Amino acid sequence: MFKNEEKNAVTEMVNSSNVIAKETKITGEIIAQGNIRIEGTVEGTLKSEKKVVIGDSAKIVGNISAVEVEVSGYIEGEIKCSEALYLKKSAVIKGDMVTKKLVVENGAVFNGKCHMTEVVSVDANAKPNNNNIHEQSKEKLLVK
């Protein structure tokens, strides 16, 4: 009887969302198994095994690592997504991105490099896959 209640509590905790309000400033590392929504300021690292949403009023100075990221605010740092990265029209990003899928709305600002790969690790310490298509093309030309 208690095992089902404990299992439901764990499931609820994993499916929950974490919200950082507009007036809140956090310095440090945030690690969550569920979703994270930021409306305030974060100076540090964000890691989620689900989705990270950066609201219009949010300012992030640090790296983000998640399965899916949606950006409407300001980010100064690297973003790594194992699935999709959405840049809304109010997004401003100063840093590199590594993602499988990129969706950019008209008006979004991005200054940095973008690596699009089939498999992306959400491990913040992992290096992006540098299998550069241009380099592969040069190698093919040399072989011929």
Side-chain angles (χ1 to χ4, degrees):
M1 180 172 166
F2 287 109
K3 288 186 180 183
N4 285 338
E5 289 176 14
E6 288 176 16
K7 187 176 180 181
N8 289 340
V10 170
T11 302
E12 185 178 315
M13 189 177 4
V14 169
N15 292 331
S16 67
S17 290
N18 301 285
V19 179
I20 307 303
K22 190 174 184 178
E23 301 82 22
T24 305
K25 179 179 179 181
I26 294 180
T27 303
E29 185 175 43
I30 300 172
I31 301 172
Q33 290 183 347
N35 299 328
I36 303 172
R37 181 175 187 90
I38 309 292
E39 293 293 342
T41 302
V42 174
E43 292 179 4
T45 304
L46 293 172
K47 296 179 187 176
S48 173
E49 292 184 21
K50 298 281 181 170
K51 183 176 183 177
V52 173
V53 177
I54 308 302
D56 290 340
S57 60
K59 179 180 178 183
I60 311 298
V61 178
N63 298 333
I64 299 173
S65 178
V67 173
E68 189 174 299
V69 178
E70 181 179 309
V71 182
S72 297
Y74 176 88
I75 298 175
E76 189 172 323
E78 185 177 59
I79 303 170
K80 291 184 180 181
C81 305
S82 59
E83 288 299 323
L85 173 58
Y86 299 93
L87 304 183
K88 301 296 184 178
K89 63 183 176 182
S90 57
V92 176
I93 298 177
K94 294 182 179 179
D96 296 343
M97 303 183 300
V98 179
T99 186
K100 184 176 177 180
K101 178 181 173 185
L102 178 63
V103 179
V104 182
E105 287 185 3
N106 189 21
V109 176
F110 162 61
N111 291 302
K113 297 177 186 174
C114 181
H115 298 278
M116 295 182 70
T117 61
E118 281 299 313
V119 179
V120 178
S121 172
V122 293
D123 179 7
N125 297 322
K127 299 286 183 193
N129 185 354
N130 288 328
N131 292 337
N132 190 332
I133 293 171
H134 181 68
E135 292 296 323
Q136 290 174 354
S137 298
K138 286 190 340 188
E139 287 176 11
K140 288 180 184 176
L141 288 174
L142 293 174
V143 171
K144 291 181 181 179

